[in-house]
Amino acid sequence: TLKAKLQDSRSEVQSAAALGLGILLKRHTDKVSKAGLRAGLSPLVRVSDRARRYAAVYALSWLKDPAAIVDLVVALADSDPEIRALAASGCGRLGSRPGVLDVVTTDADWRGRVAAIQARGRLGADEERAAAAATRLSVMADRAWGRLSRGGPVEAGRAMHELRAAVESLRGLGEAGTR
């Protein structure tokens, strides 16, 4: 089984197994036995091999187990910007505390900032968190606007991604975000 392959001694087998589990969890979450998956994936978040870290974070972000947030928080500090962005998306999907994403909102890489903006929008979907999410999203939109107005063409393009994500996330909050 894929779960057993997470323990394989070959890194490429572990990567493929974790990625395969992530795809199955994303598409057929109700049909996948989640028992023990986090225990098999968690150690891979901390290995030196980028492919295994990426695959493990991808699978954990679709696990629908709030305990996986602990591993995703570790991945928010990863050296790879794609892994940080993936971890931010997973935190939003799994319902982490909004403050967890603060480290990524000022990420050096635009992909991490966009993922944090989108995750904040998902986290603010309930009325209780909407006003706080709207405030944080507005601050992030202001920062993106500043980068857009003072950056060159490449930086302006990245800032546009951030600004668009912030506006879409704010729109998604609807009336609840204005209270």
Side-chain angles (χ1 to χ4, degrees):
T1 67
L2 286 175
K3 182 176 153 187
K5 296 295 183 185
L6 293 173
Q7 306 305 318
D8 195 280
S9 61
R10 296 167 292 176
S11 63
E12 63 274 8
V13 173
Q14 290 177 342
S15 298
L19 197 55
L21 284 167
I23 292 168
L24 286 172
L25 287 165
K26 179 180 180 181
R27 296 186 179 164
H28 308 287
T29 192
D30 55 328
K31 298 177 184 172
V32 178
S33 170
K34 295 167 195 68
L37 283 184
R38 180 174 174 255
L41 292 165
S42 182
L44 299 180
V45 173
R46 294 159 181 83
V47 298
S48 61
D49 178 52
R50 185 225 183 255
R52 286 189 289 168
R53 291 193 324 270
Y54 182 91
V57 170
Y58 181 79
L60 286 164
S61 73
W62 291 102
L63 190 55
K64 301 222 172 142
D65 176 359
I69 292 170
V70 172
D71 300 310
L72 295 175
V73 168
V74 169
L76 289 173
D78 196 276
S79 60
D80 187 285
E82 287 184 65
I83 293 174
R84 293 192 305 269
L86 189 57
S89 293
C91 284
R93 200 174 297 113
L94 297 181
S96 74
R97 297 180 116 160
V100 164
L101 296 167
D102 286 348
V103 69
V104 191
T105 60
T106 57
D107 198 290
D109 188 86
W110 67 275
R111 293 167 291 187
R113 295 189 302 264
V114 168
I117 290 168
Q118 292 167 334
R120 284 216 191 278
R122 280 192 293 279
L123 290 174
D126 65 61
E127 286 197 39
E128 190 175 301
R129 294 181 175 178
T135 300
R136 283 188 158 138
L137 286 167
S138 295
V139 168
M140 294 171 82
D142 285 343
R143 287 182 188 152
W145 182 257
R147 278 190 288 281
L148 176 67
S149 61
R150 69 178 176 274
V154 173
E155 185 61 28
R158 294 172 179 164
M160 280 300 297
H161 284 286
E162 290 176 64
L163 198 52
R164 180 174 179 239
V167 169
E168 288 174 359
S169 294
L170 283 164
R171 188 178 318 138
L173 295 176
E175 293 279 328
T178 62
R179 294 183 188 148

